[in-house]
Amino acid sequence: CLVGSEMCIRDSYIHAQSNYNELFTRGEEFRSKGLYTKALPYYEKAEKVVKANSHKLALWRVMAESYKETADYNKSRLYYEQILHTFKNFPYKDDVLLNLSDIYLLTGYYEKVIELLSPLNLRKGEDKRLINLSNAYAQTGNSQNALALLDTAISQHATSKDSIFRSAIQNKGYICLLYTSPSPRDTR
């Protein structure tokens, strides 16, 4: 192939795409078994050859999730932020925002959680948004906002008593215990 020729460029792209697919698939095999540390080297190699933006989005997402699972929160955060910086609208943006808010909570960036989640009203994941946002408010000393958000989550799940309801009740009890002042007792 002549360097710079259209055919050579196309062949190079096809070869890189084939390598990407093989590497990504191998990484997925490990990730599906919960073997994140074994999956990550394949994803990292795939990242070096990936060309299509749609593939970058999928790759960065699984890399962020895998780094989160291995407790490498800094790398996870960087990939989630890279996704949001590179892609403005995509099908699972709400999931990326919620996962990034988890990372911010785990690493103590409570103000970033508030900045990220406050303006949103999610169709899918609204309960998690309320709980993560309430945790961030509590950690920044705003127990009133935290409790109000938890009350919303509790009222939305009062009839089902599901895991969201139980989580909101537990968080509310924790916030009340730690962040609200006790009421004065009658000493008569």
Side-chain angles (χ1 to χ4, degrees), residues 20-172:
Y20 166 80
N21 289 338
E22 290 172 22
L23 293 165
F24 186 82
T25 300
R26 189 72 174 130
E28 286 295 276
E29 289 170 6
F30 284 116
R31 190 173 79 93
S32 70
K33 297 174 185 170
L35 302 171
Y36 303 102
T37 55
K38 289 188 176 189
L40 281 163
Y42 290 98
Y43 294 144
E44 289 165 354
K45 289 175 187 171
E47 185 178 27
K48 292 177 183 172
V49 298
V50 68
K51 301 285 186 221
N53 274 346
S54 61
H55 292 161
K56 287 179 185 177
L57 178 60
L59 178 63
W60 291 345
R61 183 178 182 201
V62 296
M63 289 179 79
E65 291 168 0
S66 296
Y67 280 121
K68 180 181 176 184
E69 291 296 328
T70 61
D72 190 339
Y73 301 129
N74 189 45
K75 283 187 180 177
S76 178
R77 177 184 54 81
L78 291 174
Y79 277 102
Y80 282 130
E81 288 173 345
Q82 186 171 334
I83 289 169
L84 293 173
H85 178 74
T86 305
F87 304 97
K88 299 306 173 201
N89 292 309
F90 51 95
Y92 43 85
K93 185 174 184 175
D94 293 352
D95 293 336
V96 169
L97 291 168
L98 290 170
N99 285 329
L100 180 57
S101 75
D102 286 343
I103 298 299
Y104 286 155
L105 282 172
L106 288 166
T107 55
Y109 291 103
Y110 307 118
E111 293 293 338
K112 286 191 176 242
V113 175
I114 294 168
E115 179 184 316
L116 187 69
L117 297 182
S118 289
L120 302 178
N121 188 0
L122 307 176
R123 283 171 281 147
K124 179 184 170 216
E126 178 62 9
D127 303 318
K128 184 175 179 181
R129 182 191 79 87
L130 293 172
I131 289 172
N132 283 3
L133 190 53
S134 72
N135 287 334
Y137 277 128
Q139 293 293 332
T140 58
N142 190 337
S143 60
Q144 284 185 319
N145 275 358
L147 293 172
L149 290 168
L150 290 172
D151 284 340
T152 300
I154 290 167
S155 69
Q156 291 174 354
H157 291 267
T159 57
S160 64
K161 306 267 194 272
D162 59 7
S163 63
I164 301 290
F165 176 84
R166 291 189 302 275
S167 179
I169 290 288
Q170 287 174 335
N171 287 2
K172 184 175 181 178

